[in-house]
Each structure stands twice: as structure tokens, then as C-alpha cells.
Amino acid sequence: MANNFVRRGSVVTWTNSTGNNVAAGSVVKMVHTLGVALVDIPNGASGSVAIEGVFEAPKVSAAVFSVGEKLIWDVSDGAFDDSAATPASGDVTGAAIAMRAGADGETTCVVKLTPGNSTVTP
């Protein structure tokens, strides 16, 4: 093994400075990256956040998308939207793709996190 290997990179330690407690399973925005809290993380505390994997997550009810579509994390709704939506300030595009098609009226979706592939709308 390479002598510069540190560890696998699928989980990071994140310090919650949102002003709110974050429940396990919640999507977490970390600058340009999205993750999923693996544990409850009180405001001001640190905890494990997955930045790789496939997760069920909140979905904008009206969003319609296909498997493989690049999704938008809508920060105001706290849910994933389709790529046809116009991102608003702070929204994250490209941090996840759809692993299951999304239909109008559904409020959850299945996404694959894609770290290092996203942009944040200014």
C-alpha cells in the first residue's frame, strides 16, 4: 500500500454551524458538496457525514426527472429538483444524480451523491 494513504474518503467529519440541529439522514450542504448526516449532529457539534453512496432524500413535489439526470439541491425547499429548474442563490447543481425516476407529486427520491462535480449558484 502507498505510504501516503490516509483513509477511505466516503465519510467526512463535519462541524454543524447552521444554527439548527441536524438529524441523522438529513441532507447537509457543505460549501460545494452535499452529504447525508449519518448521526444526529447538534448545532456546534461535529459528526459523520457520508459524501458517497445512494440515499433516499426529499424531492420537490413537482420535479420530474429520469434516472441519471443531474439534480439541483434547492436550499430554500430543502429538496432535490430536476435539471430543468432555474437554480436560485445558494442552490447546488451536480452534487447528485437520480438513481430512480422522479414523478410529479412524489416527495422523496433516490439519489447518488457525486462529490467534486457541483457548482453553487451565486
Side-chain angles (χ1 to χ4, degrees):
M1 179 180 290
N3 61 4
N4 60 343
F5 179 81
V6 176
R7 64 181 174 92
R8 291 184 177 265
S10 59
V11 176
V12 298
T13 301
W14 173 72
T15 301
N16 179 0
S17 60
T18 65
N20 299 302
N21 295 334
V22 173
S26 297
V27 175
V28 174
K29 179 183 172 188
M30 299 175 292
V31 188
H32 291 91
T33 302
L34 295 179
V36 174
L38 297 175
V39 296
D40 292 339
I41 308 173
N43 186 50
S46 297
S48 297
V49 174
I51 59 169
E52 294 179 1
V54 177
F55 296 90
E56 186 173 78
K59 175 190 162 294
V60 172
S61 177
V64 176
F65 46 80
S66 301
V67 172
E69 185 171 335
K70 183 179 0 180
L71 301 176
I72 298 168
W73 177 251
D74 183 323
V75 294
S76 63
D77 281 339
F80 283 100
D81 207 343
D82 60 59
S83 62
T86 301
S89 180
D91 288 353
V92 182
T93 302
I97 62 168
M99 291 294 284
R100 181 177 72 198
D104 187 16
E106 294 176 335
T107 58
T108 62
C109 58
V110 177
V111 302
K112 176 180 176 43
L113 300 176
T114 56
N117 188 35
S118 61
T119 57
V120 177
T121 303

